[in-house]
């Protein structure tokens, strides 16, 4: 696998969506190619950052409202 | 020979009328072949309320709209739960209801930013520019320096700037951890489309955050970005 192919497949590799054979080929390339490894590192950091900053807690009163809505629906249907 | 099961059918494991004590029911994902029982909807579905709310908030970018969308999702989920196709994934099913409700209702009210042509900047050039910071760093990686210097609001703004068609696959993959197949089901698009939108969405996000880093003087701008896009 060359650097261009790695570029094309790096996210699929990170997502675990490649075949076992391709996963292994990407892994071998990364261990031997610092620029490609650095490229992946950036993507890993970016993804972690997006995930971390996208976390939101459920407002406590919202849970109560959902349950009340379902209870009303249930009693209305009967 | 008589049929093995009586007309009433086999009792679904764990979710039948026999499982009356809802408070003691474990928080489990529905993946069995059991027929979904509407009575168990709250117990099974509410464990995902937090992430559905986060998903709704990311879709609508508005707390009041997100709360309405979550309520609509759970009401629709409850109504449709009797027909819930067992063997599929309850979490992905709820995401699908939320996403569809958003597309059919809330998105129509909102104007999304126009797609901007930012693909011209080579993705690989981006890595190389950020990698150039390596000289200045010792034990901390240059990538984390850049990301730590960018505020939560900036990351959210970069996400919001993505067109919905790109933003949704990126969030479902990178934040919610769904597989390509699950994303295809949630968004009701072919898996090949999921892959191409993910790829383009992620590239746009990288470029947007890189541009921000340049604006803030965190990295040097690249006067002639090497074009490696195909």
């Amino acid at each position: 696998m060359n650097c261009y192919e790695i570029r094309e497949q790096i996210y699929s590799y990170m997502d675990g969506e490649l075949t076992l054979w391709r996963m292994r080929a990407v892994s071998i390339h990364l261990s031997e190619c610092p620029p490609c490894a650095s490229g992946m590192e950036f993507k890993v950091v970016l993804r972690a950052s997006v995930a971390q900053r996208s976390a939101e807690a459920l407002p406590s009163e919202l849970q109560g409202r959902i349950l009340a809505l379902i209870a009303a629906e249930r009693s209305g249907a009967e | 020979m008589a049929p093995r099961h009586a007309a009433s059918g086999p009792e679904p494991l764990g979710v039948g009328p026999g499982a009356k004590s809802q408070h003691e029911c474990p928080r489990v994902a529905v993946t069995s072949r059991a027929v979904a029982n509407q009575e168990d909807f709250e117990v099974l579905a509410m464990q995902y309320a937090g992430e559905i709310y986060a998903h709704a908030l990311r879709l609508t970018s508005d707390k009041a709209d997100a709360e309405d969308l979550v309520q609509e999702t759970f009401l629709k989920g409850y109504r449709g739960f009797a027909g819930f196709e067992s063997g599929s994934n309850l979490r992905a099913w709820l995401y699908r209801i939320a996403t569809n409700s958003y597309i059919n209702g809330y998105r129509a009210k909102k104007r999304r930013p126009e797609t901007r042509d930012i693909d011209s900047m080579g993705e690989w050039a981006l890595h190389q520019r950020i990698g150039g910071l390596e000289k200045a760093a010792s034990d901390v990686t240059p990538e984390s320096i850049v990301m730590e210097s960018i505020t939560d609001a900036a990351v959210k703004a970069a996400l919001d700037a993505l067109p919905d068609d790109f933003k949704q696959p990126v969030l479902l993959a990178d934040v919610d951890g769904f597989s390509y197949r699950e994303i295809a089901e949630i968004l009701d698009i072919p898996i090949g489309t999921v892959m191409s939108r993910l790829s383009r969405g992620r590239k746009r996000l990288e470029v947007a955050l890189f541009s921000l880093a340049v604006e803030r003087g965190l990295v040097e701008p690249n006067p002639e970005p090497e074009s490696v896009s195909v």
Side-chain angles (χ1 to χ4, degrees):
Chain A
M1 243 184 216
N2 60 36
C3 294
Y4 175 78
E5 290 171 303
I6 296 294
R7 243 176 275 157
E8 293 298 301
Q9 302 194 11
I10 193 73
Y11 266 119
S12 297
Y13 171 76
M14 288 164 59
D15 292 333
E17 296 268 2
L18 294 177
T19 61
L20 203 58
W21 181 87
R22 283 186 182 273
M23 292 289 280
R24 183 160 168 72
V26 173
S27 174
I28 289 170
H29 182 100
L30 289 171
S31 69
E32 295 167 348
C33 177
C36 282
S38 173
M40 187 179 79
E41 190 182 354
F42 171 72
K43 291 171 194 293
V44 169
V45 171
L46 174 66
R47 177 152 73 174
S49 172
V50 168
Q52 181 191 330
R53 295 163 202 232
S54 297
E56 296 286 347
L58 180 72
S60 54
E61 77 282 0
L62 180 58
Q63 175 153 356
R65 270 189 277 144
I66 295 168
L67 292 172
L69 204 59
I70 292 170
E73 176 78 9
R74 178 172 289 148
S75 60
E78 282 167 5
Chain B
M1 189 177 289
R4 188 172 176 82
H5 297 299
S8 60
E11 193 66 27
L13 286 175
V15 295
K20 289 205 189 302
S21 180
Q22 296 195 345
H23 296 294
E24 288 171 24
C25 191
R27 289 154 61 95
V28 290
V30 172
T31 52
S32 73
R33 288 166 295 160
V35 176
N37 185 326
Q38 213 171 16
E39 294 300 309
D40 297 298
F41 178 75
E42 291 101 311
V43 177
L44 296 170
M46 283 309 288
Q47 63 182 315
Y48 303 117
E51 46 181 317
I52 294 292
Y53 172 69
H55 178 62
L57 198 52
R58 291 192 294 268
L59 288 173
T60 62
S61 305
D62 180 271
K63 285 193 175 179
D65 281 349
E67 294 194 10
D68 288 348
L69 182 55
V70 172
Q71 291 183 79
E72 184 181 338
T73 299
F74 278 84
L75 190 58
K76 284 181 178 171
Y78 174 74
R79 287 174 180 162
F81 195 56
F84 174 68
E85 200 175 312
S86 43
S88 55
N89 174 319
L90 177 60
R91 178 171 172 255
W93 185 69
L94 290 169
Y95 269 79
R96 182 173 181 163
I97 294 173
T99 305
N100 282 341
S101 301
Y102 167 70
I103 289 169
N104 296 330
Y106 298 84
R107 185 160 74 170
K109 299 195 301 193
K110 289 185 65 174
R111 287 186 58 80
R112 302 302 305 173
E114 291 300 313
T115 299
R116 280 172 293 166
D117 185 20
I118 51 176
D119 282 340
S120 55
M121 185 174 179
E123 184 190 6
W124 211 243
L126 173 67
H127 300 144
Q128 288 170 343
R129 297 306 305 160
I130 291 178
L133 277 179
E134 239 163 312
K135 293 168 192 139
S138 50
D139 54 343
V140 186
T141 65
E143 292 80 6
S144 51
I145 292 174
V146 172
M147 291 310 300
E148 280 166 15
S149 308
I150 294 176
T151 62
D152 291 8
V155 172
K156 283 180 181 167
L159 276 168
D160 276 344
L162 288 180
D164 266 348
D165 285 348
F166 295 151
K167 183 168 87 164
Q168 289 182 36
V170 169
L171 291 171
L172 291 168
D174 291 350
V175 178
D176 301 308
F178 284 111
S179 68
Y180 296 173
R181 186 181 57 76
E182 288 170 323
I183 296 169
E185 285 171 10
I186 291 168
L187 299 177
D188 201 19
I189 53 178
I191 200 162
T193 308
V194 170
M195 291 167 73
S196 70
R197 289 185 185 174
L198 259 180
S199 169
R200 297 183 66 190
R202 284 162 160 171
K203 186 187 289 186
R204 282 162 187 259
L205 196 58
E206 289 180 12
V207 171
L209 290 172
F210 177 72
S211 304
L212 193 73
V214 170
E215 266 174 43
R216 308 249 165 114
L218 298 166
V219 290
E220 291 292 314
N222 190 351
E224 288 178 44
E226 177 196 349
S227 182
V228 292
S229 290
V230 287

